[in-house]
Amino acid sequence: MNHDPFHWGRPSQGTYGDYNYNIAHASNVDKSNKSNSEFPKMHTQQPMITGTSVIAIKYNDGIVMAADNMGSYGSLLKLDDLQRIIPVGSNSVVGISGDISDFQYLERLLDDLEVEDSYDMENENLKANHLSEYLTRVMYNRRSKMNPLWNAIIVAGFDDNDELVLKHVDLLGVAYSSPTLATGFGNHLAIPLLRQKVETEDDAAKLTKEEAIKTIKDCMKVLFYRDARSWDKYSLCVIEKSTKSIKIEKDVKVEGMKWDFAQHITGYGIPQQ
Amino acid sequence: MQKAIPSTEYANEIRSEPIEHRFNPYSNNGGTILGIAGEDFAVLAGDTRQTTGYSINSRYEPKVFDVGDNLLLSANGFAGDSTQLIKVFDNRLKWYHFNHDKKLAISSAARLIQHMLYGKRFFPYYVHTILAGLDEDGKGAIYSFDPVGSYEREQCRAGGSAASLIMPFLDNQVNFKNQMDPESNGTKKKEIRYLSLDEVIQLVRDAFSSATERHIEVGDGLEMLIVTKEGVRTEYFPLKRD
């Protein structure tokens, strides 16, 4: 059966007159109907399958970043094994939230950059600062065409002088840098927790790697508790400046959750004496 | 034209155009900037907070730039357009040097910026732009622009979110508006004079700490770039972070 209501047939023309395609915002269904084919070309106006928050924090020897493995289609858990933190070369990682098809398009752009860079077989010239600049330009140019890539991106890694880079870029081409960064819901739920640990660059210089990882893990737990479009399986990326290493740990699970809280609250759930 | 259709509830839903939820290419990233010209110097200062809505994106994201040739430039408003405008200016200045091999005068830089802004008259850069430097006679100069390029040379100008809070203060303290000569017993206006660099720095700090108190998008830090014939120097002062 064809599930499109507009192919279900309709009452005879003699009785009701020509079919009006404007009924119920039918939009450009029938391209042969002139009045309907005159709509302008449509661009992405909303994201379809989406990835939720990416969060990152600086510590005394690098950056810790995390993003869960879920792709949601509205409230449906559409994808449950999605890697949203991707390495680009050996100097940078990119964490992407927002529309997944746009994310995959960006993935291809970044792969092209990597291929181009690898033609020089002696040096790796593609650094995180170039990447963040490139992505900012791509995002700004697309927003200027009124056809945005519906994403928020966090770029982390090393620059030309092997210094740390941590940048956020969004669908409008607005870029900024801070010792704690988060996209989407993380901006409301994780940032206050992250800033409690690291308020300034000086605080970041005092935070150890273990503390940073713990903070990020706690934030992922809070996000899983309260962000309905989040998942308890995520990727954890640790960047270390002293060893110049970037490691991505996959399939990390949220640990130490408590879901029995309701029964301990008087007047909540089961009646208590 | 369509034939008349019997009025049923379904038919009443006719719209001549599809429902559109349009993508908004602009946002406001807060912050405020302030330029004051002295006799042989000019300062251009801006707070370092960047916001979207009620969120603080960053507590240190500089927006006043030394673009070379003893010129300071800042565009405050939508951060995407702001970085783009400064990037395009940087590039145009580079090509000016290639082509003419000389310094770009501030009056010429101002006219260039007018054209860059007006060139996007029908999809404007959503920014309030201020250019600071020294003119051909070595006197301090401030040029300020609206989003579509209309511009003017001034002694001082505040731009951005807290411009309406700072500008009246500047009128009074830089151009001595509504001030009388105390000797004349309220019969003579106070005569205008150039302010010293120390006076200007104190004025800018007061303006920003007051704006921080009254405007939620202003705060965190104050970055001040000072241009003299010796070159450009930067000073940073912390502001309240609440």
Side-chain angles (χ1 to χ4, degrees):
Chain A
M1 178 187 169
N2 189 336
H3 290 273
D4 184 350
F6 290 94
H7 290 95
W8 289 353
R10 53 185 194 78
S12 68
Q13 240 153 300
T15 317
Y16 293 101
D18 282 336
Y19 190 82
N20 184 346
Y21 282 91
N22 288 327
I23 289 174
H25 329 309
S27 80
N28 40 0
V29 172
D30 184 6
K31 292 286 186 193
S32 63
N33 184 317
K34 194 170 176 297
S35 69
N36 283 302
S37 60
E38 278 169 356
F39 284 121
K41 191 181 137 204
M42 301 289 267
H43 288 148
T44 309
Q45 301 295 344
Q46 52 182 304
M48 293 301 286
I49 298 175
T50 56
T52 185
S53 329
V54 180
I55 57 172
I57 193 170
K58 249 189 198 173
Y59 67 96
N60 60 17
D61 190 31
I63 295 163
V64 181
M65 181 156 103
D68 69 24
N69 294 351
M70 178 168 163
S72 18
Y73 180 68
S75 54
L76 175 78
L77 197 170
K78 178 84 172 171
L79 308 167
D80 65 357
D81 193 23
L82 182 67
Q83 287 303 324
R84 297 192 292 122
I85 296 183
I86 50 168
V88 180
S90 53
N91 292 295
S92 0
V93 282
V94 174
I96 304 185
S97 65
D99 190 276
I100 296 305
S101 57
D102 288 344
F103 156 63
Q104 286 170 346
Y105 170 72
L106 283 167
E107 219 175 349
R108 208 181 71 201
L109 288 184
L110 296 175
D111 199 49
D112 288 348
L113 280 187
E114 217 179 312
V115 169
E116 190 118 327
D117 186 48
S118 66
Y119 288 142
D120 178 355
M121 285 163 28
E122 269 140 53
N123 309 296
E124 210 185 311
N125 301 307
L126 186 62
K127 303 291 165 84
N129 55 325
H130 308 137
L131 213 59
S132 73
E133 188 63 51
Y134 173 78
L135 285 169
T136 311
R137 268 25 275 163
V138 169
M139 298 304 267
Y140 182 82
N141 287 320
R142 285 292 294 263
R143 87 97 217 188
S144 298
K145 290 174 185 157
M146 292 297 278
N147 186 196
L149 294 169
W150 218 285
N151 302 103
I153 308 168
I154 293 179
V155 183
F158 304 107
D159 69 5
D160 304 280
N161 308 314
D162 289 340
E163 293 297 325
L164 291 172
V165 174
L166 184 57
K167 275 240 166 200
H168 174 112
V169 186
D170 71 9
L171 77 167
L172 293 172
V174 174
Y176 53 87
S177 179
S178 172
T180 59
L181 284 179
T183 70
F185 241 101
N187 243 323
H188 303 101
L189 293 173
I191 282 287
L193 301 168
L194 295 172
R195 285 197 186 149
Q196 230 162 35
K197 291 278 174 193
V198 174
E199 179 66 40
T200 61
E201 291 283 348
D202 294 341
D203 297 336
K206 282 179 211 134
L207 192 76
T208 64
K209 181 171 127 186
E210 289 68 32
E211 277 180 287
I213 292 175
K214 191 188 174 298
T215 310
I216 287 288
K217 285 188 167 178
D218 283 346
C219 287
M220 291 310 282
K221 183 161 73 182
V222 169
L223 282 166
F224 183 58
Y225 273 141
R226 284 293 175 178
D227 175 2
R229 277 88 181 100
S230 70
W231 196 229
D232 62 350
K233 194 173 73 170
Y234 60 94
S235 301
L236 186 73
C237 172
V238 180
I239 299 177
E240 227 174 57
K241 197 174 147 185
S242 54
T243 57
K244 251 215 97 202
S245 79
I246 297 180
K247 289 197 185 88
I248 299 175
E249 193 186 341
K250 288 177 181 168
D251 300 335
V252 185
K253 292 284 278 187
V254 172
E255 279 165 2
M257 284 189 291
K258 274 201 180 77
W259 287 101
D260 59 349
F261 53 89
Q263 69 185 93
H264 300 305
I265 301 170
T266 314
Y268 190 108
I270 20 172
Q272 296 182 3
Q273 266 68 52
Chain B
M1 272 306 288
Q2 310 260 308
K3 272 190 203 159
I5 296 172
S7 173
T8 66
E9 270 179 69
Y10 195 47
N12 285 337
E13 288 180 41
I14 291 178
R15 294 171 63 100
S16 54
E17 80 290 337
I19 295 180
E20 266 186 283
H21 173 78
R22 260 172 79 84
F23 163 67
N24 180 189
Y26 293 114
S27 74
N28 176 22
N29 298 106
T32 211
I33 49 173
L34 163 57
I36 300 178
E39 186 164 22
D40 55 356
F41 67 88
V43 300
L44 187 54
D47 68 327
T48 61
R49 174 179 290 183
Q50 199 207 74
T51 63
T52 32
Y54 288 126
S55 302
I56 296 173
N57 293 337
S58 175
R59 296 195 190 278
Y60 185 71
E61 190 63 40
K63 59 171 160 281
V64 182
F65 298 95
D66 169 10
V67 288
D69 283 1
N70 245 222
L71 297 172
L72 307 176
L73 184 60
S74 182
N76 192 242
F78 169 46
D81 284 343
S82 165
T83 35
Q84 177 73 0
L85 184 75
I86 281 152
K87 230 169 250 302
V88 175
F89 182 86
D90 270 345
N91 196 250
R92 295 290 296 265
L93 185 64
K94 193 171 167 181
W95 278 97
Y96 183 90
H97 291 153
F98 286 151
N99 292 330
H100 305 290
D101 198 23
K102 66 175 184 184
K103 211 176 140 215
L104 182 66
I106 189 167
S107 54
S108 313
R111 183 65 63 87
L112 171 61
I113 291 168
Q114 166 169 66
H115 279 97
M116 284 163 50
L117 291 166
Y118 195 82
K120 276 179 65 67
R121 173 64 180 77
F122 298 107
F123 186 16
Y125 287 124
Y126 209 76
V127 286
H128 189 322
T129 311
I130 299 179
L131 173 71
L134 301 176
D135 68 9
E136 284 88 338
D137 307 322
K139 292 218 177 330
I142 297 289
Y143 285 86
S144 76
F145 304 78
D146 82 346
V148 287
S150 103
Y151 77 108
E152 178 177 32
R153 180 175 171 180
E154 289 172 303
Q155 225 25 63
C156 68
R157 171 61 71 181
S161 296
S164 55
L165 275 68
I166 295 177
M167 207 56 220
F169 171 68
L170 255 39
D171 289 336
N172 183 250
Q173 292 296 307
V174 177
N175 295 320
F176 301 146
K177 292 283 162 62
N178 299 99
Q179 287 203 63
M180 292 299 186
D181 183 356
E183 311 286 285
S184 73
N185 197 222
T187 54
K188 239 177 74 207
K189 281 182 177 166
K190 184 173 171 183
E191 225 157 289
I192 53 166
R193 61 173 176 84
Y194 282 115
L195 299 175
S196 71
L197 179 56
D198 289 336
E199 282 175 307
V200 167
I201 290 176
Q202 202 47 55
L203 217 51
V204 171
R205 292 188 65 179
D206 287 347
F208 273 89
S209 49
S210 304
T212 302
E213 289 291 333
R214 286 289 183 175
H215 202 114
I216 56 168
E217 290 169 352
V218 179
D220 293 333
L222 166 61
E223 195 158 77
M224 203 185 297
L225 272 68
I226 302 155
V227 55
T228 59
K229 61 180 189 302
E230 276 81 39
V232 178
R233 76 168 200 273
T234 307
E235 288 197 35
Y236 176 85
F237 305 97
L239 289 173
K240 281 170 82 172
R241 299 156 70 87
D242 55 7

